[in-house]
Amino acid sequence: MVQVLLTALIVVVLAGVAYTVAAARVVKQYERGVVLRFGRLRNDVRGPGFTMVLPGVDRLRKVNMQIVTMPVPAQDGITRDNVTVRVDAVIYFKVVDASSAVVEVEDYRFAVSQMAQTSLRSIIGKSDLDDLLSNREKLNQGLELMIDSPAVGWGVQIDRVEIKDVSLPETMKRSMARQAEADRERRARVINADAELQASKKLSQAAAEMSSEPAALQLRLLQTVVAVAAEKNSTLVLPFPVELLRFLERAQQPTAPEAVESPPQVPKAPAGTAPPVEPADPVESAETAEPTEPTEPVPSSEAPASPSPSPPSPAPGPARTAPAPKRAPAAASPRLRPASTGSKPLARH
């Protein structure tokens, strides 16, 4: 009898231990337990720690309450300004209601992933390329609102959404690079033109100051030569201003009283030479020159000289006397001499 009671006690104890082991559950700190009894949701959500359920009657579902980081696959889309882009993002969310996450949606992770992809495609079509590249904060907020609206009913809270990268076609990248280069060149030209304007104003002021003192221009020229020579160049280009030539010309000219008082000096001829003769006027020399008589040919000594033919008799009519040529003194034209009236025959030796 005692042995039967002892055996029954041992069986009851072992059954209790087995029941306890089967009913015992441990919920971690970052989890919450949702109990379904005969498939019906229990209102009490089990907190972290040790808990008990009815084996074969209750079913415990553990839900992770941590923030989940989920990458959104890259989506191809066309922006509002007809540019093909490829955008990927990342989403941060967590479960705030464990019962709704278990009951309202089959798999809240997959549901959030699909909603994020759809919202990302929608936000790409509503935005311009410039907004995707430079105004991402506003797009992130809009994307977060689009995903969070249906996720509230699932017991999921969207913590943050970030657009990671925007991939552009190579042709678009080259176009944007040319645009950026053109903009940089425009800025450089504007800055250069502004600098030239300021420099021209300063140079005009400096020219006004130098105009009062001509020597200042020479000093400035020497400073330029020193600056160029400091580079140790093999060739030195020296500008010679016209103002410097005019300055030197004015410095070499005599004063007005000296130019009036001093008579022109005639250079003296060296000893033993004739004084220089001034050239005569060509008109006067032509008038004062006497006509030269033609010379007779020289006869040969062997052949008898042929009598010279008599000049032809003038035609009958009134005789006209030709005016006698004017004779000028011999000193007036030293270069012209009167020709001899006749020539002597030369004998052959």
Side-chain angles (χ1 to χ4, degrees):
M1 188 66 183
V2 177
Q3 293 179 355
V4 174
L5 293 176
L6 185 59
T7 303
L9 181 61
I10 293 173
V11 171
V12 171
V13 171
L14 292 177
V17 171
Y19 179 81
T20 304
V21 172
R25 298 290 187 274
V26 176
V27 180
K28 297 179 181 179
Q29 182 65 35
Y30 54 85
E31 294 177 344
R32 296 296 182 267
V34 178
V35 179
L36 298 174
R37 181 169 294 177
F38 295 108
R40 186 174 181 179
L41 178 66
R42 300 282 295 181
N43 294 331
D44 55 338
V45 177
R46 306 297 173 88
F50 180 80
T51 183
M52 296 290 292
V53 295
L54 297 177
V57 177
D58 295 341
R59 186 178 178 183
L60 182 67
R61 294 281 303 272
K62 297 179 182 180
V63 180
N64 192 345
M65 306 297 290
Q66 290 178 320
I67 296 177
V68 180
T69 303
M70 179 182 294
V72 181
Q75 303 296 315
D76 293 331
I78 300 177
T79 60
R80 190 167 57 181
D81 50 355
N82 299 326
V83 178
T84 303
V85 294
R86 186 179 180 88
V87 182
D88 57 349
V90 60
I91 181 172
Y92 302 89
F93 67 94
K94 65 180 180 179
V95 178
V96 294
D97 189 357
S99 301
S100 299
V102 173
V103 176
E104 298 297 334
V105 64
E106 179 182 2
D107 188 354
Y108 66 90
R109 289 176 178 266
F110 181 74
V112 171
S113 176
Q114 295 299 317
M115 180 56 65
Q117 296 179 30
T118 306
S119 301
L120 184 58
R121 285 176 176 269
S122 178
I123 206 70
I124 290 173
K126 295 179 180 179
S127 305
D128 295 332
L129 179 61
D130 295 338
D131 295 336
L132 288 175
L133 297 176
S134 61
N135 197 9
R136 292 188 180 182
E137 190 66 27
K138 183 179 179 181
L139 296 180
N140 294 337
Q141 295 177 1
L143 189 59
E144 179 180 348
L145 291 176
M146 294 178 66
I147 302 174
D148 189 56
S149 298
V152 172
W154 305 335
V156 177
Q157 179 184 355
I158 305 301
D159 188 66
R160 193 171 185 179
V161 180
E162 292 287 344
I163 296 176
K164 292 174 59 178
D165 189 19
V166 179
S167 301
L168 298 175
E170 294 297 330
T171 56
M172 181 57 64
K173 290 181 181 179
R174 289 193 294 268
S175 300
M176 295 177 66
R178 289 194 299 268
Q179 180 183 359
E181 291 177 0
D183 186 45
R184 291 291 182 181
E185 185 177 358
R186 178 184 62 84
R187 293 181 185 179
R189 289 185 178 181
V190 170
I191 294 174
N192 191 15
D194 190 11
E196 291 292 340
L197 178 60
Q198 296 179 6
S200 63
K201 293 181 180 179
K202 296 298 182 181
L203 289 175
S204 62
Q205 296 177 4
E209 292 292 335
M210 290 183 180
S211 61
S212 59
E213 294 292 337
L217 183 61
Q218 179 67 14
L219 295 177
R220 186 68 185 90
L221 177 61
L222 295 178
Q223 291 178 358
T224 305
V225 173
V226 171
V228 175
E231 299 294 334
K232 298 181 180 180
N233 296 328
S234 58
T235 304
L236 179 61
V237 179
L238 179 62
F240 205 76
V242 181
E243 290 77 4
L244 182 60
L245 295 177
R246 295 176 180 174
F247 174 74
L248 297 176
E249 182 180 358
R250 288 196 299 267
Q252 292 179 358
Q253 288 180 356
T255 57
E258 294 178 357
V260 173
E261 292 177 0
S262 61
Q265 299 179 359
V266 179
K268 297 181 180 181
T273 59
V277 180
E278 297 182 356
D281 190 8
V283 177
E284 184 179 356
S285 60
E287 293 178 357
T288 57
E290 294 181 1
T292 58
E293 296 180 359
T295 58
E296 296 179 0
V298 179
S300 176
S301 58
E302 299 178 359
S306 61
S308 60
S310 62
S313 61
R320 296 182 181 179
T321 59
K326 298 181 180 180
R327 295 181 177 273
S333 56
R335 294 182 180 180
L336 300 177
R337 298 180 180 178
S340 58
T341 54
S343 60
K344 299 180 179 181
L346 301 177
R348 179 178 297 178
H349 297 283

